[in-house]
Amino acid sequence: MGRHSSPRAGARRFLVARSPGWALLAHRLATTRGPLLRLLAWSGAEAVPPLLSGLMVSAAVDQGFLAGRPGVGVAWLAGFGAATAVRAYAARAGFPHLAAVVEPLRDALVERVVRGALARSHADPAEVARLTEQVESARQLTATLLRTLRGVGVTLVAALAGLALLAPAVLPLVLLPLLASGALFARLLRPLVARRRAVVLAEERLAADAAPALHGLRDIQATGADRRVAEALTATAEASAAASRALGRAAALRSLVVALGGRLPVLAVVAAAPWLLDEGGLTAGELLGVTTYLLQQLDPAVRTLAGTVGGWLLGLAVVLDRLAATSPDPAEHDPAEHEPAEHEPAGPEAPRPGPAEPPCAPAAAATATVRLTSLCYAHGPGAEPVFANLDVTTAPGEHLAVVGPSGTGKSTLAALLAGLLAPLGGGLTVAGVRPHTLPGPERARLVALLPQEAYIFPGPVRANLAWLAAPTEARLTHAVELLGAGALVARLGGLDAVIADPAALSAGERQLLALVRTYLSPAPVVVLDEATCHLDAAAEDRVERAFAARPGTLVVVAHRLGSALRADRVLLLDGGRGVLARHGDLQVLSPLYRELVGHWWGSAGPRGAAPVTGHPS
């Protein structure tokens, strides 16, 4: 800290310059400068009642009640009431501008978490869920702090300005304890943030250690390891409790901040009251006005700052630091991320197209064999296995349909093939490579997965379709027409039209655009996980035939009987195992498959559309 630095300036530098979380928040808030300034303007209107409170009380006493004119005193108090109504209106008017600051912050943090997850070779879904919860905590804490701090800050500044106007002689009695209180609060911030962070880390460690133990409780008891596991969990729990106690001891010192900044000025003024009335030239009304400033404005503001705001500030600091550390934004380290593509608007909402490659590299497609060898997978250490020794091998360029009752692992298999999940046992390779070991971009160039809920981002139609590749104009136009999306693209205004709100598109329209994007992908293996469920049977037939003719291997989680009939072979999943055969052979081999086919035919609509039973597993 420099020679001329104050404790407050030192605390500010610590929070912003040394904390990646505060730097992240400052960067995001800088993009909403307009709403912040409008929020500050309404805060100025809120300062009127705190500023006038002591002055009007003083005038009501001296010019009204003590002067024998109670009507004048009541008029002054009525004016104070009217000023309070102005403050209420200003507080209400500031909420839309507060929302305009906080909601973009939430969206930016969610995008950061998603980008960070996609940049890792494989992201833990539980970790992503925890980070998303922390984003919501950051949004709520930021909104609460902005709403509370502007009220408290306005009150504090207005009270000091009112004291200066009403009774300048009182200012030393108020400012000296208040400055000492601010210095103590600034001094406490660093250890409080460190201890709050230690509590959060200890709680996360306890949750991470306890979850596997609870899932594998039967195995722990069977192997006689229960005592050792209990001792380890007890040690972790004691460490968490110790961190909480350390935070409590540090937080207790905040009561000194309240005593110094809120209570001591009141005691000082009360003790000096005889001198202020006799020698200081204060009237009884002015002394009562000073007391109004201290008791109704200054003391509550200091208590709120040191108590409630202090706690929220610490929580926000830790949450932001966790988000900054655990979900780094790849765009911050890749200058090219900020350069718009030829047909893509600048901005974070439009992902850049991938490298200029043909829809499917012929060399890769020729060797795109999917091989599952004794594959085992379960959703948790103690959970029932989804797959147990599953063996499947596809030929290069094969069209495979995956069917089975709800809960048999069809979508889980799709996620395993795409590398989003890692096998717990056995082997899974695509073109000789284990997909879950690849970084995100390489994995996407090997396997293109399209789930049931298609993702379309705000931006040009062209940027959405060319997200995974950079096709020529002729190839892009051919793919649009081949998959039957020409009428949709024309209705939207052409390839260069901008999709302002993807939610305005129907689920089927979003699926159709995403199918064109997936068709243009360079990946030699495409996995459609009920990706045509919102299309009619004729559109689904057209799409699947186009993908089947595309170079490479096609895996379709069947939604209708037509998907199984069009496939080269059908994989029936049931009870952790699979039966792989042609459609006709599988009807002979499996009573379950015959039952599924009968259900499909029985529930077929007038156009032959028959949904599979249940939901994607």
Side-chain angles (χ1 to χ4, degrees):
M1 185 180 297
R3 183 175 55 186
H4 302 290
S5 297
S6 67
R8 289 180 185 270
R12 185 170 58 253
R13 279 200 302 274
F14 163 71
L15 288 175
V16 176
R18 300 190 59 179
S19 169
W22 288 122
L24 171 63
L25 180 63
H27 171 70
R28 295 303 179 187
L29 291 182
T31 63
T32 56
R33 189 174 292 113
L36 276 174
L37 291 176
R38 289 189 287 272
L39 185 63
L40 183 62
W42 281 111
S43 299
E46 289 187 64
V48 174
L51 176 64
L52 298 180
S53 60
L55 293 169
M56 287 187 164
V57 167
S58 172
V61 172
D62 289 338
Q63 300 175 23
F65 301 115
L66 291 183
R69 294 186 296 174
V72 174
V74 171
W76 279 111
L77 295 181
F80 177 57
T84 304
V86 171
R87 183 178 191 181
Y89 178 81
R92 179 181 178 277
F95 271 93
H97 307 297
L98 178 64
V101 172
V102 174
E103 296 307 319
L105 170 68
R106 189 266 309 274
D107 295 342
L109 292 178
V110 168
E111 181 184 0
R112 182 188 182 93
V113 169
V114 173
R115 284 180 178 272
L118 293 176
R120 295 192 289 272
S121 59
H122 56 87
D124 180 7
E127 179 189 1
V128 175
R130 285 196 300 269
L131 290 174
T132 305
E133 291 176 359
Q134 290 178 353
V135 167
E136 183 60 24
S137 296
R139 184 191 74 85
Q140 292 178 353
L141 287 169
T142 302
T144 304
L145 278 169
L146 285 176
R147 186 175 66 248
T148 306
L149 275 176
R150 73 187 186 99
V152 170
V154 161
T155 299
L156 196 59
V157 172
L160 293 176
L163 282 172
L165 293 173
L166 181 64
V170 176
L171 279 180
L173 300 176
V174 175
L175 286 178
L176 291 177
L178 191 61
L179 291 175
S181 172
L184 177 60
F185 185 65
R187 178 66 181 83
L188 288 175
L189 279 179
R190 184 170 183 174
L192 282 173
V193 169
R195 294 187 183 186
R196 175 63 67 91
R197 184 181 295 111
V199 168
V200 171
L201 292 175
E203 290 176 349
E204 289 185 356
R205 192 176 302 114
L206 179 59
D209 291 348
L214 292 175
H215 283 299
L217 192 57
R218 289 185 301 175
D219 294 338
I220 292 172
Q221 292 175 336
T223 57
D226 47 345
R227 176 175 297 180
R228 180 168 58 83
V229 173
E231 290 175 352
L233 288 178
T234 300
T236 306
E238 289 177 349
S240 178
S244 298
R245 288 193 295 270
L247 175 62
R249 287 192 295 270
L253 294 176
R254 286 184 298 185
S255 59
L256 293 178
V257 175
V258 176
L260 279 174
R263 307 294 168 77
L264 188 56
V266 177
L267 293 176
V269 169
V270 170
W275 180 87
L276 291 172
L277 291 172
D278 294 339
E279 306 293 335
L282 262 65
T283 65
E286 290 172 339
L287 184 60
L288 188 58
V290 169
T291 307
T292 301
Y293 281 126
L294 296 180
L295 293 179
Q296 294 188 0
Q297 314 297 343
L298 185 67
D299 181 60
V302 171
R303 281 190 284 109
T304 302
L305 279 174
T308 307
V309 173
W312 291 336
L313 196 68
L314 295 177
L316 181 59
V318 174
V319 168
L320 289 173
D321 280 352
R322 293 292 289 158
L323 287 173
T326 57
S327 58
D329 188 352
E332 295 176 359
H333 307 287
D334 184 7
E337 187 75 22
H338 301 286
E339 298 176 4
E342 179 182 357
H343 301 290
E344 186 177 358
E349 66 270 21
R352 291 181 301 151
E357 298 185 37
C360 184
T367 59
T369 299
V370 177
R371 189 183 304 276
L372 282 61
T373 308
S374 299
L375 177 69
C376 297
Y377 183 80
H379 292 302
E384 292 293 327
V386 180
F387 302 119
N389 299 317
L390 179 63
D391 292 297
V392 175
T393 300
T394 67
E398 184 173 9
H399 178 184
L400 177 69
V402 181
V403 302
S406 297
T408 52
K410 300 185 294 296
S411 290
T412 300
L413 178 61
L416 286 163
L417 291 175
L420 302 180
L421 298 175
L424 298 182
L428 190 160
T429 60
V430 176
V433 179
R434 293 181 297 169
H436 71 277
T437 64
L438 297 176
E442 292 184 27
R443 191 170 64 238
R445 285 193 290 270
L446 179 66
V447 180
L449 170 64
L450 184 57
Q452 180 177 359
E453 296 301 325
Y455 170 65
I456 299 297
F457 54 82
V461 175
R462 184 189 302 274
N464 269 281
L465 301 183
W467 181 7
L468 301 176
T472 63
E473 188 75 12
R475 191 188 300 277
L476 179 57
T477 303
H478 173 71
V480 169
E481 295 299 329
L482 183 65
L483 274 76
L488 172 59
V489 171
R491 184 178 64 79
L492 294 175
L495 291 173
D496 293 315
V498 174
I499 301 174
D501 181 15
L505 301 175
S506 70
E509 290 170 338
R510 291 196 298 271
Q511 276 192 339
L512 198 54
L513 293 176
L515 283 163
V516 176
R517 173 203 299 156
T518 306
Y519 181 86
L520 292 167
S521 161
V525 175
V526 170
V527 180
L528 303 180
D529 183 10
E530 303 226 18
T532 58
C533 63
H534 297 297
L535 304 181
D536 60 34
E540 179 183 64
D541 178 77
R542 179 172 184 167
V543 164
E544 287 190 9
R545 291 187 187 281
F547 272 94
R550 175 186 181 273
T553 300
L554 175 64
V555 179
V556 178
V557 174
H559 174 64
R560 297 184 178 100
L561 176 60
S563 296
L565 294 175
R566 284 186 291 268
D568 298 323
R569 288 191 294 173
V570 179
L571 173 63
L572 172 65
L573 296 177
D574 182 40
R577 300 185 181 276
V579 180
L580 181 61
R582 295 183 181 275
H583 166 72
D585 296 336
L586 199 55
Q587 283 188 298
V588 176
L589 294 172
S590 172
L592 174 61
Y593 187 68
R594 290 197 298 273
E595 180 182 344
L596 282 175
V597 171
H599 176 81
W600 278 332
W601 280 119
S603 59
R607 300 182 62 183
V612 73
T613 56
H615 300 284
S617 55

